[in-house]
Amino acid sequence: MIRHPNARARGGYAALACAVLSVAVMTSGQATTAALPQQAQGPADVRAPQRTDAGPAAPGAGVRVFSWNLSSDAFVKDPAAFRAVVRQSRADILLLDEVSPSTNAQQIRTALAGLAPDGPDQWHIDFGASGGRQRGVIVSRLPLERLAEFSDIVPYPADDRRRLADLMVAAGPVEPAFSMDGGIPMNGVVVLAGQRRLLVVTTDMQCCGNDPGSWQEDRRRVEAGEIRRRIRQVLERTRVDGLIVGGDFNLVSTPLPLVIVSGPYRLPHAGLLVAELRHLDGADTWTWDGRGTPFPSRPMDFVLYSPHTLALRQGYVLDTADLPQSELEQLGIQPESAGRLSAHRPLVAEFVWH
């Protein structure tokens, strides 16, 4: 087993999950009854699921979600390695964040060719319009329903935008990549899993700014608040049986952006729970490889879910460096393949319906 030399973030998920859940309970008394028992349970089975040749989970049985910050165009740079990583995950739904706006559906279908039982056309793809250079793309074996709340550019609220702009200017020269013109990086759809309607949302929040008083941390909180507001709009407008939010939260400062996205929401969803996912060694929890950067390796990417209607059956942080040589050879990749595609590692989480 290859050990990460900077893997200091171990065992942090349980404390973070409880912190998020506690805030959700305090802010929504209705969440207490169903959410509190989740704290008493041990972590979900973090071992990799059994490899099978089965297709997507049977409608109503559950879904397997794969969430990854692709750092622009991993499926164009090395489609074979990308395909192998997705194949290993056996995912039904892919939440891809920080995708280049130049990406098109054919590039994704080419990268996923041969994974779906009936050919690449079985994949349903929805491109987010918001986020400028960091778009969210949702790919699913199951049909998708587009949502007006997420289909267009999601602007920063006017007052917040003015305040953030002043803070950014006061802090010094601002990189063009940090422009707010492209909107908040997020995308969301309803996945039609048989008779169940699953709302899935992906995001890539503002990076950097490890000072709690920085404009970057302020901007993450604004982004989190707008994600929560859009989710609430969907829940008010249409029936949703389950809710999953995944993506890069860039938690280099405080956990507040994660807490804000966790809710509260209207019943039966109430407060969302953080899926506690670890590497296949059962110890490491980092999703960001910080070697050679100012930011230590740590969990920055998360998957949240509604525990009233969904249960986490199993899941893991997928690092190809953790896979046995026999599996690497079967997949046709190297231990370093995931790291070459992105500094982030994908999350795999399998949920079942209550």
Side-chain angles (χ1 to χ4, degrees):
M1 185 69 67
I2 298 175
R3 291 289 182 180
H4 193 283
N6 195 23
R8 301 189 301 175
R10 294 187 177 185
Y13 268 100
L16 182 57
C18 287
V20 171
L21 184 58
S22 297
V23 172
V25 170
M26 288 188 293
T27 53
S28 175
Q30 293 175 314
T32 306
T33 302
L36 280 177
Q38 292 287 334
Q39 295 187 43
Q41 299 174 2
D45 182 358
V46 297
R47 295 169 296 176
Q50 294 292 320
R51 312 287 184 250
T52 70
D53 292 327
V63 292
R64 190 173 296 167
V65 176
F66 172 98
S67 180
W68 197 5
N69 178 330
L70 283 178
S71 300
S72 186
D73 60 353
F75 35 74
V76 176
K77 180 168 56 180
D78 192 342
F82 174 78
R83 183 185 306 113
V85 172
V86 175
R87 183 188 301 278
Q88 199 277 347
S89 75
R90 304 302 304 170
D92 304 306
I93 301 170
L94 312 180
L95 305 180
L96 309 177
D97 62 274
E98 201 170 319
V99 177
S100 169
S102 63
T103 301
N104 59 57
Q106 186 55 50
Q107 290 171 329
I108 294 178
R109 294 191 188 281
T110 298
L112 296 176
L115 296 185
D118 299 325
D121 288 338
Q122 181 176 335
W123 293 100
H124 305 270
I125 304 174
D126 186 84
F127 286 87
S130 195
R133 66 183 181 87
Q134 300 182 153
R135 306 291 178 89
V137 178
I138 299 174
V139 185
S140 173
R141 299 182 189 272
L142 303 167
L144 303 178
E145 179 182 296
R146 299 198 73 200
L147 298 170
E149 291 83 358
F150 292 94
S151 295
D152 296 321
I153 292 177
V154 179
Y156 289 82
D159 290 344
D160 289 317
R161 175 166 179 157
R162 285 192 291 269
R163 177 174 52 78
L164 287 171
D166 290 341
L167 292 173
M168 293 164 71
V169 170
V174 181
E175 295 183 27
F178 292 156
S179 169
M180 291 182 280
D181 292 342
I184 300 173
M186 69 170 82
N187 190 22
V189 301
V190 168
V191 175
L192 306 177
Q195 299 302 311
R196 306 277 194 169
R197 293 172 56 82
L198 177 64
L199 172 59
V200 296
V201 176
T202 183
T203 183
D204 189 289
M205 295 189 186
Q206 174 64 52
C207 75
C208 314
N210 50 4
D211 181 347
S214 67
W215 66 261
Q216 293 96 330
E217 172 67 8
D218 195 338
R219 181 164 166 176
R220 278 190 290 272
R221 297 173 190 177
V222 171
E223 293 169 344
E226 190 62 17
I227 291 169
R228 182 175 66 182
R229 189 178 75 84
R230 298 276 169 154
I231 291 174
R232 285 173 169 173
Q233 288 179 338
V234 175
L235 298 179
E236 290 288 338
R237 180 177 61 80
T238 186
R239 177 176 65 86
V240 170
D241 300 303
L243 173 58
I244 293 174
V245 181
D248 180 6
F249 284 73
N250 273 306
L251 294 190
V252 298
S253 183
T254 79
L256 276 178
L258 193 65
V259 172
I260 293 169
V261 172
S262 73
Y265 299 105
R266 63 180 301 175
L267 291 176
H269 310 290
L272 303 185
L273 195 63
V274 176
E276 185 173 346
L277 306 175
R278 298 173 183 270
H279 286 243
L280 295 178
D281 62 9
D284 295 334
T285 60
W286 61 271
T287 66
W288 156 258
D289 185 349
R291 289 174 291 185
T293 78
F295 303 100
S297 302
R298 66 180 74 185
M300 284 195 194
D301 308 82
F302 299 91
V303 173
L304 295 83
Y305 65 100
S306 51
H308 286 91
T309 54
L310 294 168
L312 177 64
R313 181 158 64 187
Q314 56 190 344
Y316 53 103
V317 179
L318 201 177
D319 188 1
T320 49
D322 297 333
L323 299 177
Q325 185 61 35
S326 59
E327 187 168 359
L328 290 171
E329 292 175 358
Q330 182 181 8
L331 293 169
I333 53 177
Q334 303 298 319
E336 62 274 12
S337 290
R340 286 177 177 173
L341 291 174
S342 173
H344 295 259
R345 299 299 184 269
L347 307 178
V348 181
E350 184 174 3
F351 299 97
V352 292
W353 297 96
H354 288 318

